[in-house]
Amino acid sequence: QVQLVESGGGLVQAGGSLKLSCVVTGSHHFAVYTMGWFRQAPGKQRESVARISRLGSTSYSESVEGRFTISRNNARNTVYLQMNSLKVEDTAVYYCAIQKPQSRDFDSWGQGTQVTVSS
C-alpha cells in the first residue's frame, strides 16, 4: 500500500523560508509518478501549489511562482517543496499527492503538514 508522509512544516515569520519533504513508501514506481503539492487554508478549498512530472517538468500556481521550487529525488522516493519569501497568506496545511501514469487525478495523498507564517 502506497503511503505518503510529509514533514518540514512549522511556524516561520513572513519573509522566511521552509523546505517541505514528502517520502513515498510502499511503491517501486515513484520515478514514473507525477508528484504534486497542494494546500488548504482554513475555510478555503484545497488548491494546487506545484507539480513535477516524471521527467522533471515543473509547474506552479501564480501565487507561488518565483518563490517556491518543487524538486524530486527518485533514489529516495522523495519530493520537496522549497518555500522562500513566505507570506502570511501561505499559511495552510500542505499535502503531497501522487498522480499515476494514465490517471487524470491525484489519487494518493499524505496526511499533511502545517505551515504557519506570522506577520
Side-chain angles (χ1 to χ4, degrees):
Q1 183 177 353
V2 176
Q3 290 189 319
L4 298 81
V5 179
E6 301 97 336
S7 62
L11 174 64
V12 64
Q13 285 191 324
S17 298
L18 282 175
K19 186 174 184 177
L20 307 183
S21 300
C22 171
V23 178
V24 177
T25 60
S27 173
H28 297 292
H29 306 294
F30 177 83
V32 303
Y33 298 153
T34 291
M35 299 299 299
W37 283 99
F38 297 76
R39 67 186 182 187
Q40 187 166 20
K44 295 188 176 181
Q45 287 190 330
R46 184 173 62 199
E47 63 172 344
S48 176
V49 174
R51 304 181 181 196
I52 185 166
S53 74
R54 62 183 181 91
L55 297 179
S57 298
T58 59
S59 62
Y60 300 90
S61 66
E62 276 191 30
S63 61
V64 307
E65 179 83 49
R67 299 187 297 122
F68 290 10
T69 303
I70 188 171
S71 61
R72 64 191 298 160
N73 184 326
N74 290 339
R76 296 187 175 184
N77 279 20
T78 302
V79 62
Y80 304 96
L81 186 68
Q82 176 67 48
M83 305 185 294
N84 299 329
S85 302
L86 282 160
K87 303 177 181 180
V88 171
E89 52 264 42
D90 294 319
T91 295
V93 178
Y94 283 71
Y95 301 89
C96 65
I98 289 171
Q99 182 182 29
K100 296 177 182 176
Q102 300 173 351
S103 173
R104 289 185 178 183
D105 301 318
F106 285 84
D107 49 22
S108 297
W109 295 82
Q111 83 290 346
T113 185
Q114 176 71 47
V115 172
T116 303
V117 184
S118 63
S119 59

